[in-house]
């Protein structure tokens, strides 16, 4: 088996790029490299992470300007070829703006930036990101965002539900989908979705910040272990 | 040269938390006649085009491709001669 390489995109204003690099290179011991947003060669990368932060200062809308960075055309090609892409937080917002995932992000319902540990329920194991998890499994992973109120119209929501594209929902510690657990007001408690082809995942919570028990939780590792496991058996 | 004024607003069906917060503050000021507040963006473009129709088309392209997100926002464009 050839060594799989993880690429972490870097935009002006990305600030979780080093967290993602640390998670992959030092915790998961995977081959990892940074990719500057002006680079356009993704030929030596097998998996792309679009990290969190405030690309282009969130001007206009979160992710709206980053979407037009030179690298994004290549990212779209990469995704169209069925290669895996994970967008975290601002990375999720960028993938929405780029049209690689459906929907949009509104301001959190209480208008505040929220930074805290939350619980997520894994809703489907039918993705390379969650293949090691069990359906209904609860993960503790932190969030840090002001615009994570996922919105899509009722028809599109039904499509997401029917196609099993909702990968994570906000829940309480017992795994119940309560209104209170849905702190940002997302439709249907949505915390993460994948595309129809199931190779692109966007999620607001930060698994790369939940890699070591000393930092509160290492549940994020379960997601990256799923990915590496899928690569090993591919 | 034409001046385009672009108004971008959240779609009517979408709750506008910023507008709601501002409305609440206006009520605290005693301006109870104000029944609703929606907050959007005003964007001004200077466009070098041969006709107002062409300028409008360019501004609408800009909205569709970048300035507005059709999932959650509506926009209007007005064109004035400079």
């Amino acid at each position: 088996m050839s060594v799989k390489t993880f690429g972490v995109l870097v935009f002006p204003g990305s600030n979780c790029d080093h967290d993602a690099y640390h998670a992959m290179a030092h915790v998961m011991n995977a081959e990892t490299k940074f990719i500057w947003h002006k680079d356009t060669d993704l030929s030596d990368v097998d998996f792309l992470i679009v990290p969190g932060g405030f690309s282009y200062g969130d001007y206009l809308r979160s992710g709206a300007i980053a979407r037009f960075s030179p690298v994004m055309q290549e990212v779209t090609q990469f995704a169209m070829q069925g290669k895996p892409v994970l967008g975290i937080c601002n990375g999720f917002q960028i993938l929405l703006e780029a049209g690689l995932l459906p929907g949009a992000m509104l301001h959190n319902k209480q208008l505040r930036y929220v930074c805290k540990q939350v619980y997520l329920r894994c809703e489907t194991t039918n993705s390379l990101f969650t293949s090691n998890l069990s359906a209904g499994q609860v993960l503790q992973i932190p969030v840090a965002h002001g615009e994570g109120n996922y919105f899509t119209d009722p028809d599109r929501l039904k499509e997401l539900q029917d196609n099993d594209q909702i990968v994570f929902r906000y829940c309480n510690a017992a795994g119940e989908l309560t209104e209170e657990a849905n702190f940002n007001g997302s439709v249907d408690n949505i915390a993460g979705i994948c595309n129809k082809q199931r190779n692109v995942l966007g999620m607001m919570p930060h698994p790369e910040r939940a890699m070591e028990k000393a930092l509160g939780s290492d549940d994020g590792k379960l997601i990256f272990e799923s990915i590496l496991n899928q690569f090993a058996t591919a | 040269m034409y001046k385009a004024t672009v108004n971008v607003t959240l779609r009517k069906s979408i709750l506008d938390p910023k507008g709601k917060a501002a409305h609440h503050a206006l009520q605290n000021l005693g301006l109870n006649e104000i029944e609703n507040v929606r907050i959007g963006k005003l964007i001004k473009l200077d466009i070098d085009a041969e006709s107002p129709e062409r300028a409008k088309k360019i501004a609408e392209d800009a909205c569709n491709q970048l300035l507005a997100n059709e999932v959650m926002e509506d926009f209007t464009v007005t064109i004035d001669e400079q």
Side-chain angles (χ1 to χ4, degrees):
Chain A
M1 190 194 83
S2 64
V3 176
K4 298 292 184 181
T5 303
F6 287 73
V8 178
L9 295 188
V10 184
F11 296 95
S14 293
N15 65 13
C16 301
D17 43 346
H18 282 265
D19 303 54
Y21 185 92
H22 171 73
M24 297 319 299
H26 305 140
V27 184
M28 303 308 297
N29 293 313
E31 189 68 34
T32 311
K33 60 180 273 192
F34 286 120
I35 299 162
W36 180 236
H37 73 116
K38 286 190 173 166
D39 291 345
T40 49
D41 182 10
L42 302 177
S43 58
D44 55 350
V45 173
D46 303 288
F47 187 105
L48 267 182
I49 297 177
V50 191
F54 294 87
S55 57
Y56 297 90
D58 272 357
Y59 295 156
L60 199 60
R61 296 180 305 275
S62 307
I65 312 273
R67 176 204 158 182
F68 293 100
S69 275
V71 76
M72 284 308 293
Q73 216 155 8
E74 301 306 312
V75 173
T76 301
Q77 285 298 318
F78 188 90
M80 300 287 242
Q81 290 162 13
K83 295 178 186 172
V85 180
L86 168 62
I88 301 166
C89 198
N90 189 223
F92 185 7
Q93 294 162 337
I94 293 168
L95 296 179
L96 290 171
E97 284 286 343
L100 289 171
L101 291 170
M105 288 296 175
L106 302 171
H107 281 271
N108 292 350
K109 66 177 175 190
Q110 73 286 59
L111 278 174
R112 273 202 318 261
Y113 184 92
V114 178
C115 180
K116 65 174 185 181
Q117 294 278 340
V118 299
Y119 294 101
L120 307 182
R121 195 170 81 182
C122 172
E123 303 290 33
T124 177
T125 57
N126 180 19
S127 81
L128 84 158
F129 313 94
T130 54
S131 54
N132 268 22
L133 297 165
S134 46
Q137 188 170 349
V138 176
L139 309 181
Q140 188 193 323
I141 291 184
V143 290
H145 61 248
E147 287 170 61
N149 180 351
Y150 179 77
F151 173 79
T152 190
D153 61 59
D155 292 344
R156 270 294 174 78
L157 177 62
K158 182 152 188 336
E159 229 173 83
L160 290 176
Q161 292 163 339
D162 291 350
N163 295 330
D164 195 24
Q165 285 174 254
I166 301 171
V167 180
F168 296 111
R169 283 194 174 99
Y170 298 112
C171 64
N172 63 16
E176 296 157 340
L177 305 175
T178 62
E179 176 96 30
E180 199 189 1
N182 192 27
F183 64 96
N184 59 17
S186 293
V187 294
D188 204 22
N189 284 53
I190 286 175
I193 55 168
C194 67
N195 60 347
K196 264 190 203 142
Q197 295 71 31
R198 315 194 77 77
N199 63 309
V200 178
L201 170 70
M203 61 189 296
M204 286 314 290
H206 287 271
E208 83 285 11
R209 293 191 193 172
M211 300 296 287
E212 288 141 309
K213 272 260 183 301
L215 295 177
S217 168
D218 61 356
D219 287 354
K221 272 167 81 173
L222 297 167
I223 293 170
F224 296 113
E225 279 165 6
S226 292
I227 296 161
L228 289 169
N229 197 34
Q230 285 289 304
F231 274 154
T233 56
Chain B
M1 189 73 109
Y2 295 92
K3 277 199 178 299
T5 305
V6 176
N7 267 300
V8 181
T9 47
L10 276 178
R11 291 203 161 173
K12 282 198 182 75
S13 59
I14 295 178
L15 177 77
D16 174 8
K18 281 186 197 170
K20 227 180 140 184
H23 188 212
H24 189 69
L26 290 168
Q27 283 177 328
N28 288 345
L29 284 171
L31 298 169
N32 296 314
E33 296 83 354
I34 298 172
E35 290 183 357
N36 190 25
V37 180
R38 305 282 288 177
I39 294 180
K41 296 185 191 105
L42 175 86
I43 302 166
K44 294 192 167 187
L45 309 171
D46 294 342
I47 303 174
D48 182 11
E50 62 272 19
S51 68
E53 293 74 26
R54 177 76 192 132
K56 184 158 193 189
K57 172 78 177 62
I58 291 168
E60 285 172 350
D61 281 353
C63 290
N64 285 319
Q65 290 178 52
L66 174 67
L67 299 178
N69 181 334
E70 54 147 24
V71 177
M72 57 180 179
E73 293 168 331
D74 291 321
F75 65 85
T76 58
V77 176
T78 52
I79 301 289
D80 291 305
E81 221 154 315
Q82 197 153 354

